[in-house]
Amino acid sequence: MFDSLSDRLTGVFDGLRGRGALKEQDVRDAMREVRIALLEADVALPVVRRFIDAVTEKAIGSEVLKSVTPGQQVVKIVSDELVEMLGGEESVPLELEAKPPVVIMMVGLQGSGKTTSTAKLAKFLKEKHGKKSMMASLDVNRPAAQEQLAVLGEQIECATLPIVEGQQPVDIARRALDAAKLQAADVLLLDTAGRLHVDEALMAEMKAVSSISAPTEVLLVVDSLTGQDAVNVAKSFTEEVPLTGVILTRMDGDARGGAALSMRHVTGKPIKFAGTGEKLDALEAFHPKRVADRILGMGDVVSLVEKAAATINEEDAEALAKRMAKGQFDLNDLRTQLQQMNQMGGLGMLAGMMPGMKKAKAAMANSGMDDKVLVHMDAIIGSMTPKERANPALLNAKRKRRIAAGAGKEVQDVNKLLKMYQEMSRAMKQIKKMGGLKGLAAMFGKGGMEAAMPGLGGPGGPGGGGLPPGLPGLGGPRKR
């Protein structure tokens, strides 16, 4: 979402870091570029002014300009202010400690993703907090809105309030409260009606439902692709309904990010969740520090680790670790690795979360490589027989032609995959020589990569070139 803003800011800060000393005018020139980048990202003008003034005031202080690394100091100040703009160091969790059923009221305009976000949140509460939820649709205006929530409830195995034709929102809210108490639900999610725009009838309905249900949380769902319109909608709701937080949907889209950066300042309410895809598990708690790090190209390793923990099967990981410790690695293991990478969001997602990988991600895009490469490689391995996957040495020219035809690829694609496998297999054997994973970890502590894997870390490695420049078939830099 923040790609264009991140590229602009990275360019500005690369220029600052490259200088040994900074003058006040250098800082002001850089801040002018940052101001333009934020405005182009559709950030609200008052937010931009406040941000630039705060950064400039701190950055032109003598302790910064006279420090050993002034460029990095300025980047640190920008990072801190960006975190503050997004809502502070810590994420703000839902208030779930109230007397059950805890009522969460979802509000917003029609088409913002409110119903889907309701189901996503119910699934999130079930999986992350172990809460039993019940969902109720109060939307009697949009055709099939109540049926949609019922279908989503079946998909995530969450109870939904039975539909009674002709019943009005306030009466539905009363019935939902009674039903949630009878079923001993921990949380009651009320999916309220939306409109195409904010009007008096909508606000009157919101207030009536709120007075009946006494919600602990009132979450405003806004579509981040609508830019400054999302901020205006948030402002209108803030003035009428006691909001406790915001859910930004479609954060995985190509919006310029202005809504996310402006929302906290305009509403005074924290962004609690971000919708990151169409699937019902694509909802993440919003962490200002992590988002700021992604914008500044510093990666987001914590989210990457959390994503890995959620998607990688622990038993499979342990089995693979044991095989690696013994120096065993076949095409079945490689296929498992590729499938796990795909489940975690693909190469683009992983590159965006790794520190310093911004340029690598750009190189991937320029080479025309996308996440389909993982699917294609999986198809090639899937076209092999079980014996071939367990023993790649069997793959002669005739078998390669058959595999390529079965996967709809060329023989050279099969060769690229096998080359990648050979490099990884050689690395596994090298790990075994060093005493397995424990021995490797111990040697890392004594001298880094070259100490841990002599012959692979320096120019004298196998093949006379050290580690291969990027994985073959995965878009690494070409040898000249």
Side-chain angles (χ1 to χ4, degrees):
M1 175 183 200
F2 297 103
D3 282 352
S4 59
L5 175 60
S6 183
D7 291 341
R8 287 289 300 270
L9 294 182
T10 302
V12 173
F13 297 140
D14 282 349
L16 287 177
R17 288 193 192 100
R19 301 185 188 185
L22 289 180
K23 297 176 183 175
E24 183 177 325
Q25 191 58 44
D26 295 331
V27 174
R28 292 191 182 280
D29 290 344
M31 287 307 106
R32 189 179 298 114
E33 291 295 319
V34 172
R35 179 190 286 110
I36 294 169
L38 290 172
L39 289 173
E40 286 183 352
D42 210 15
V43 181
L45 183 57
V47 180
V48 174
R49 282 177 177 157
R50 177 181 168 280
F51 177 83
I52 296 297
D53 289 346
V55 172
T56 304
E57 184 180 343
K58 293 177 183 176
I60 60 177
S62 59
E63 67 275 7
V64 173
L65 296 183
K66 292 181 181 178
S67 67
V68 179
T69 56
Q72 291 182 358
Q73 293 271 34
V74 173
V75 175
K76 172 70 167 61
I77 291 168
V78 171
S79 174
D80 291 345
E81 287 298 322
L82 203 51
V83 171
E84 190 63 31
M85 182 197 290
L86 287 164
E89 284 284 339
E90 300 297 326
S91 61
V92 182
L94 290 174
E95 177 55 62
L96 298 173
E97 299 305 316
K99 180 183 176 182
V102 175
V103 178
I104 299 177
M105 186 172 155
M106 310 287 278
V107 302
L109 292 186
Q110 195 169 304
S112 59
K114 201 159 59 289
T115 301
T116 308
S117 295
T118 302
K120 285 181 179 180
L121 187 53
K123 184 176 173 66
F124 180 90
L125 291 171
K126 177 183 176 182
E127 295 178 351
K128 304 291 184 183
H129 296 279
K131 298 292 185 183
K132 178 184 177 182
S133 298
M134 181 177 186
M135 302 187 296
S137 174
L138 278 59
D139 191 347
V140 296
N141 299 313
R142 183 166 62 90
Q146 293 178 309
E147 287 82 355
Q148 180 190 357
L149 192 66
V151 170
L152 292 173
E154 288 179 8
Q155 291 177 13
I156 62 172
E157 298 180 352
C158 175
T160 54
L161 187 72
I163 300 167
V164 175
E165 293 292 335
Q167 202 166 35
Q168 292 306 301
V170 173
D171 297 323
I172 297 173
R174 282 199 188 96
R175 187 161 57 90
L177 272 172
D178 293 339
K181 288 173 185 174
L182 283 171
Q183 295 184 27
D186 299 310
V187 180
L188 172 61
L189 292 149
L190 298 178
D191 176 26
T192 64
R195 299 284 194 280
L196 294 176
H197 57 86
V198 176
D199 58 26
E200 289 184 14
L202 172 64
M203 289 306 168
E205 187 177 299
M206 297 297 103
K207 288 176 182 176
V209 170
S210 179
S211 65
I212 290 295
S213 59
T216 304
E217 294 273 359
V218 181
L219 301 179
L220 173 65
V221 182
V222 288
D223 184 348
S224 57
L225 294 187
T226 56
Q228 279 305 297
D229 280 343
V231 177
N232 296 332
V233 167
K235 196 172 181 181
S236 300
F237 271 91
T238 305
E239 292 167 355
E240 299 289 341
V241 186
L243 296 180
T244 59
V246 177
I247 296 179
L248 275 179
T249 61
R250 294 207 270 188
M251 282 280 282
D252 56 323
D254 56 0
R256 290 170 289 180
L261 293 170
S262 306
M263 196 62 69
R264 177 62 190 253
H265 178 77
V266 171
T267 64
K269 305 299 177 185
I271 301 171
K272 295 200 173 185
F273 294 96
T276 56
E278 294 296 322
K279 293 182 180 177
L280 292 174
D281 58 359
L283 184 76
E284 297 178 359
F286 188 87
H287 295 275
K289 181 75 170 70
R290 300 184 195 179
V291 174
D293 284 348
R294 284 192 220 178
I295 292 172
L296 296 177
M298 297 175 186
D300 183 2
V301 176
V302 178
S303 291
L304 184 60
V305 172
E306 287 178 354
K307 194 176 281 287
T311 56
I312 293 175
N313 184 293
E314 197 172 329
E315 291 179 4
D316 291 346
E318 285 181 8
L320 180 59
K322 287 177 183 176
R323 288 175 57 78
M324 285 171 63
K326 295 176 184 176
Q328 298 172 341
F329 188 77
D330 61 21
L331 285 168
N332 289 311
D333 299 318
L334 177 58
R335 191 182 196 186
T336 301
Q337 295 288 296
L338 295 173
Q339 288 171 343
Q340 288 174 351
M341 287 172 69
N342 212 21
Q343 286 172 0
M344 288 173 64
L347 294 173
M349 172 72 80
L350 296 178
M353 287 182 161
M354 292 292 286
M357 289 291 283
K358 193 74 186 171
K359 290 175 183 173
K361 190 176 178 182
M364 284 165 53
N366 291 336
S367 66
M369 189 182 122
D370 56 25
D371 290 329
K372 288 181 182 175
V373 71
L374 296 177
V375 179
H376 296 161
M377 292 167 81
D378 184 68
I380 291 171
I381 299 175
S383 187
M384 299 175 186
T385 65
K387 281 187 179 180
E388 289 168 344
R389 287 197 288 269
N391 184 12
L394 295 172
L395 296 176
N396 55 26
K398 184 177 179 182
R399 287 176 185 254
K400 287 178 185 177
R401 285 196 296 273
R402 189 204 80 238
I403 291 164
K409 304 300 290 180
E410 302 293 329
V411 172
Q412 65 187 36
D413 296 316
V414 179
N415 287 332
K416 280 182 184 178
L417 177 75
L418 291 175
K419 174 70 172 165
M420 173 182 164
Y421 159 73
Q422 287 162 6
E423 296 286 2
M424 293 178 75
S425 181
R426 189 160 61 204
M428 296 305 116
K429 288 173 183 172
Q430 198 72 17
I431 288 172
K432 186 188 176 187
K433 284 182 186 177
M434 306 316 299
L437 296 176
K438 289 183 180 177
L440 180 65
M443 298 195 83
F444 261 117
K446 293 179 182 176
M449 176 67 85
E450 291 186 20
M453 302 180 76
L456 278 181
L467 280 169
L471 293 172
L474 281 182
R478 296 178 182 173
K479 294 180 182 177
R480 295 181 179 177

